[in-house]
Amino acid sequence: MNGVAAAGALFGLMPYFLAKWLEPAQWMVYMAKGGLITLAVAVLPGFLRNCGVMGLQFWHWRLEQAKQLDHERAYVASILAWLAKLPATELAQSERVARLHLGQLTAKIGLLAGGVEKLGLLPVFVSGFLFVRQWKDLLAMPGWQMALGVFLLLLYVIVTTANLMRIRLQLYQSLLIEARAMQDRSQTDPGMC
């Protein structure tokens, strides 16, 4: 379905670019509408499923979170035991590298998105609004609005991916810090760990 949605988006946007080189014709309007309808039909089942799954997750969040945390506790304990066997200098160096990368990634997200990352899905809704507003006559859409809509979607994807990377780095850093703390506790009181 993602491939069909991508093809629909391509066919939906292609007439806009073709109109720059060819004389605008009615078939371009039909092609754009067909592509956007194909995109909507291909995305709709996944979107509805995701909404349903999200609703169920909100409904059962306490039980699911307890299960997930119980599962992760044992997994994190095994990772910490493995990390605690590494030399303290290697752990300290890895933690410094993670801290450095985390600072750089945070700065890049701030430079790229500024406060946009706090807007959540708003850029996606604005981009959708810009395209839906010109639904009747996509060829009449100003180029700056088309560019703004595509830019907002791209910005949202980039910032979301960068935030997921930041979360992983924060987890890695906290595991390294905890492993060093475990080593320190085992050196002061060998019976504790």
Side-chain angles (χ1 to χ4, degrees):
M1 293 304 277
N2 288 336
V4 172
L10 181 67
F11 279 105
L13 294 174
M14 195 180 304
Y16 175 76
F17 298 107
L18 288 175
K20 302 284 184 188
W21 298 294
L22 303 174
E23 185 176 329
Q26 190 62 35
W27 67 268
M28 292 180 181
V29 175
Y30 294 140
M31 184 177 176
K33 286 182 180 180
L36 290 177
I37 289 171
T38 303
L39 170 68
V41 168
V43 168
L44 188 63
F47 178 75
L48 292 176
R49 180 195 173 280
N50 287 343
C51 287
V53 168
M54 196 181 319
L56 285 174
Q57 285 178 340
F58 282 136
W59 188 260
H60 300 292
W61 71 272
R62 282 191 195 137
L63 180 62
E64 293 299 320
Q65 187 178 27
K67 286 180 186 177
Q68 185 68 29
L69 289 174
D70 284 345
H71 170 74
E72 287 176 358
R73 185 177 48 82
Y75 186 65
V76 167
S78 67
I79 291 174
L80 286 174
W82 175 75
L83 283 173
K85 292 177 185 174
L86 296 175
T89 56
E90 189 175 331
L91 287 177
Q93 181 182 11
S94 296
E95 196 271 327
R96 280 192 304 275
V97 169
R99 190 174 350 116
L100 174 69
H101 284 298
L102 191 58
Q104 289 177 343
L105 186 60
T106 302
K108 287 176 185 176
I109 291 171
L111 177 66
L112 178 66
V116 174
E117 71 180 87
K118 293 178 177 70
L119 295 177
L121 287 173
L122 187 62
V124 175
F125 291 138
V126 169
S127 180
F129 171 74
L130 289 174
F131 288 114
V132 170
R133 191 177 72 166
Q134 294 289 338
W135 174 251
K136 297 272 187 204
D137 191 11
L138 287 174
L139 298 177
M141 183 179 217
W144 70 270
Q145 285 183 356
M146 177 74 75
L148 178 65
V150 171
F151 173 74
L152 287 174
L153 287 175
L154 263 165
L155 182 67
Y156 177 77
V157 169
I158 291 169
V159 170
T160 301
T161 304
N163 278 325
L164 291 174
M165 290 169 58
R166 181 167 52 180
I167 289 169
R168 288 181 63 123
L169 270 172
Q170 287 170 339
L171 174 64
Y172 180 59
Q173 183 184 23
S174 65
L175 287 173
L176 290 169
I177 290 170
E178 182 60 28
R180 285 184 64 203
M182 284 175 60
Q183 284 181 341
D184 293 343
R185 286 192 300 264
S186 68
Q187 289 174 357
T188 56
D189 187 8
M192 271 184 83
C193 295

